[in-house]
Amino acid sequence: MNRKTLVLTAVAGLLTPALTACGSTSGAGAGSGAIVVGTTDRFEASEAAPAPFDPAHAYDAGAWNVLRQTLQTLMRTPRGGGEPVPEAASKCHFTDKGNQTYRCILRPGMKFADGDPLTAEDVKFSIERVLAIKDENGPSSLLSTLDKVETKGEDTVVFRLKTPDATFPHKLSTPAAGIVSRKKYDARKLRDGFVVDGSGPYTMKAEVKGNELVRAVFTRNPNYQGDLKPQNDKVELRTFGDSGTMGEALNDGKIHVVSRTLSPAQIKELSANPPKGVRLVPLPGLEIRYIGFNTDAPAVKDKAVRQALAAAVDRGRLVNKVYGTSAQPLYSLVPGSVPGHVNSFFNKYGDGDTQTAANLLRAAGVKTPVKLTLNYTTDHYGDGTAAEFAELKAQLNATKLFDVTVQGNEWATFRPAQKQGDYAAYGLGWFPDYADADNFLAPFLEQDNFLGTPYANSTVRTKLIPDSRRAADRTLAAPAIEEMQNIVAEDVPVLPLWQGKQYVAARDGITGAEWSVNSVSDLQLWELGQGMRG
């Protein structure tokens, strides 16, 4: 697919005033009292994706990190992880033993940032809007178990589920359930551009050049009524084209914090020899990387080819050579630190086992070398991605079983092409919506899945996913969770590669860096402060 370089006319009209709202990007921003946070995430409004910050469309970590500052959800993930707690709601609970009816009561006096009242009808509108729009790149699949939303008075919302779903409170903590105003969002149409209106701890103004956001300024919302306690009045999120330039800005004091994404080399250097006034903060992380397959594509349609790839890849060598201590090999879609994890791929194929790969191809009558292109995105997951795919190519070609080439494209081109099935094999990452094994399996295996994959397993879809969601005690879901991981290892619609760790780099005088990103990679700007502050 050719890259769409022009912004839609409607989008351009929305972006023009944003330029004057924030001024120039010159200087550190510190003079205005803002804490400046650097990121290599790119935010682009294109013809294929004109509404990057509409909660009915946004479904990537970067966009969600903007929405989490500006939109409230009924529930939220606590700063240290764990079960969700009320945010816009004062309390929420299942009202039945079958986990099919969930009731939430809003906090009293709720308002949007512009002062308009926020009621149960706005909650109902917001969630029904995501389902009605059902954007092909959006998060509507997270709400697939929802049957209908009811309101009782101005403060009570009742969710009726199609099937039992003990993970539903987690889903209400994601931007898929972000609350927007009925006055400012169309019920059946995306809101183009970079404008966001909500009731979260901050309001946001965007500075845009061409079709890309270069800076977002978050200012404390005086009408915020949730339980978060912002430790600052203003934060600026500034985008950089690469981690090297971002690192220089941190070292020079032009920015205060770096969240996403430090390169493996930077992490190594900051660990061993941090510049004066800069510290590296390691944080728990659940990010995973994997190769996905279009199982209808001729190159990988034969399951034996995908199985042979699973056997041939040496994850340990890949991680050591490219990522060092910032990652670890992964042998399941479910990370090792999440309850229910099993090393299904290692148990079945080992690691870097060329002989097993050869046996699988020979038994299936597959002619070798198998020609295959591995596609990856050049600008979405950090500077290590190109080196990672170079290493994968070298490993696979060294077996003489594969003839691999690699192709990199910018995210704005890569993601639409992947979704429409242009790639036989492609590299993606997953930052979980919530820290439950369900969220590392269902988004890849359900009918309306994140990948748009043609792969379907009826046992997984009709039995194992529903069975795993019945258990309020998540340890009781382990048998179904484990069986799904083993099925994935057998069929290989996805090939897990590694699990990442998280790091934040911050200058001296910045407090709260250790809480600024939680275990599911939520950016929590409200935790950042300057100097000693309560």
Side-chain angles (χ1 to χ4, degrees):
M1 174 182 287
N2 293 325
R3 184 181 179 196
K4 307 296 185 182
T5 57
L6 297 178
V7 186
L8 291 176
T9 303
V11 179
L14 284 171
L15 302 190
T16 302
L19 286 166
T20 59
C22 296
S24 169
T25 57
S26 62
S32 63
I35 296 173
V36 186
V37 177
T39 181
T40 56
D41 284 327
R42 292 181 64 183
F43 307 102
E44 181 177 3
S46 66
E47 186 174 348
F53 293 154
D54 189 312
H57 166 80
Y59 199 16
D60 67 83
W64 272 23
N65 279 337
V66 170
L67 296 181
R68 289 186 188 278
Q69 322 308 315
T70 51
L71 301 183
Q72 275 187 289
T73 48
L74 292 170
M75 305 290 284
R76 70 172 179 87
T77 301
R79 54 151 50 171
E83 293 299 310
V85 296
E87 214 299 77
S90 61
K91 60 181 178 180
C92 292
H93 63 284
F94 281 105
T95 62
D96 64 327
K97 293 183 179 180
N99 296 329
Q100 279 191 255
T101 303
Y102 197 70
R103 179 189 298 262
C104 290
I105 299 176
L106 292 174
R107 295 177 184 273
M110 292 292 294
K111 295 179 181 179
F112 288 105
D114 63 4
D116 284 347
L118 188 162
T119 70
E121 284 296 331
D122 292 297
V123 177
K124 174 178 164 66
F125 166 83
S126 301
I127 292 176
E128 289 182 339
R129 177 177 179 271
V130 172
L131 293 170
I133 292 175
K134 200 177 182 180
D135 184 83
E136 65 176 359
N137 293 310
S140 61
S141 60
L142 272 177
L143 305 173
S144 62
T145 59
L146 180 59
D147 183 25
K148 60 182 177 180
V149 187
E150 300 170 351
T151 61
K152 297 183 182 298
E154 292 194 347
D155 68 349
T156 302
V157 189
V158 179
F159 301 93
R160 309 283 184 186
L161 308 183
K162 300 172 187 175
T163 58
D165 185 1
T167 69
F168 191 70
H170 290 279
K171 295 167 182 177
L172 290 181
S173 72
T174 72
I179 305 168
V180 299
S181 169
R182 289 169 286 166
K183 292 183 179 180
K184 297 184 178 179
Y185 287 79
D186 190 297
R188 296 187 174 274
K189 181 181 177 182
L190 293 175
R191 187 180 187 182
D192 293 347
F194 295 93
V195 179
V196 184
D197 286 293
S199 58
Y202 297 98
T203 60
M204 188 275 284
K205 289 186 178 180
E207 179 179 330
V208 179
K209 289 186 178 179
N211 59 345
E212 291 190 24
L213 179 143
V214 295
R215 183 171 71 158
V217 177
F218 298 91
T219 303
R220 191 197 288 232
N221 171 16
N223 288 316
Y224 172 66
Q225 297 293 324
D227 72 334
L228 300 174
K229 295 178 173 57
Q231 298 299 299
N232 59 72
D233 294 322
K234 184 179 290 186
V235 181
E236 174 187 325
L237 186 67
R238 187 177 299 180
T239 64
F240 290 85
D242 58 81
S243 57
T245 304
M246 180 173 64
E248 291 175 4
L250 179 70
N251 294 346
D252 293 343
K254 294 180 179 178
I255 61 176
H256 302 107
V257 181
V258 166
S259 59
R260 286 166 45 98
T261 302
L262 291 164
S263 71
Q266 285 176 310
I267 292 169
K268 182 177 180 180
E269 180 64 23
L270 285 168
S271 297
N273 302 295
K276 184 178 180 181
V278 175
R279 68 189 189 281
L280 185 69
V281 183
L283 303 169
L286 296 175
E287 170 192 4
I288 68 169
R289 297 286 178 88
Y290 57 90
I291 296 173
F293 299 103
N294 173 1
T295 53
D296 281 349
V300 296
K301 189 170 185 177
D302 193 321
K303 181 171 71 173
V305 173
R306 306 193 302 270
Q307 291 177 325
L309 288 165
V313 170
D314 188 333
R315 296 166 184 79
R317 180 180 171 189
L318 173 69
V319 167
N320 289 336
K321 189 168 183 178
V322 179
Y323 293 102
T325 59
S326 65
Q328 62 189 61
L330 181 64
Y331 302 96
S332 169
L333 279 175
V334 179
S337 53
V338 173
H341 163 86
V342 288
N343 285 319
S344 300
F345 276 80
F346 186 85
N347 296 340
K348 188 169 182 64
Y349 305 108
D351 203 27
D353 191 333
T354 300
Q355 189 58 57
T356 294
N359 293 342
L360 286 163
L361 294 171
R362 187 181 305 111
V366 176
K367 183 180 178 181
T368 58
V370 177
K371 289 184 177 295
L372 180 65
T373 298
L374 298 180
N375 294 272
Y376 68 96
T377 174
T378 58
D379 61 344
H380 198 66
Y381 296 119
D383 295 348
T385 310
E388 175 183 344
F389 276 77
E391 171 62 19
L392 286 169
K393 174 184 174 180
Q395 285 188 20
L396 293 171
N397 287 345
T399 68
K400 308 299 184 182
L401 301 171
F402 297 94
D403 180 6
V404 171
T405 57
V406 296
Q407 177 65 49
N409 282 299
E410 292 183 343
W411 181 253
T413 299
F414 172 89
R415 179 61 170 150
Q418 179 270 312
K419 284 284 286 186
Q420 69 181 26
D422 290 355
Y423 304 146
Y426 48 86
L428 278 174
W430 182 251
F431 297 85
D433 309 315
Y434 48 91
D436 187 282
D438 172 84
N439 194 237
F440 292 91
L441 294 166
F444 300 90
L445 304 174
E446 285 185 307
Q447 182 172 351
D448 295 322
N449 60 76
F450 167 74
L451 298 177
T453 177
Y455 170 78
N457 184 291
S458 59
T459 300
V460 169
R461 289 185 179 179
T462 63
K463 183 179 187 300
L464 296 177
I465 291 176
D467 284 355
S468 71
R469 288 173 172 170
R470 294 180 190 277
D473 180 350
R474 301 306 290 153
T475 60
L476 300 179
I481 294 293
E482 291 176 10
E483 187 175 349
M484 281 189 274
Q485 291 171 83
N486 291 333
I487 288 173
V488 171
E490 169 64 27
D491 293 347
V492 200
V494 178
L495 173 57
L497 296 173
W498 54 268
Q499 173 183 347
K501 302 175 184 178
Q502 294 188 123
Y503 295 87
V504 170
R507 295 198 63 83
D508 290 347
I510 297 297
T511 62
E514 68 275 19
W515 298 113
S516 61
V517 180
N518 67 15
S519 64
V520 293
S521 301
D522 296 345
L523 186 59
Q524 303 179 141
L525 295 180
W526 54 85
E527 297 283 1
L528 296 173
Q530 299 189 70
M532 300 300 294
R533 186 166 184 173

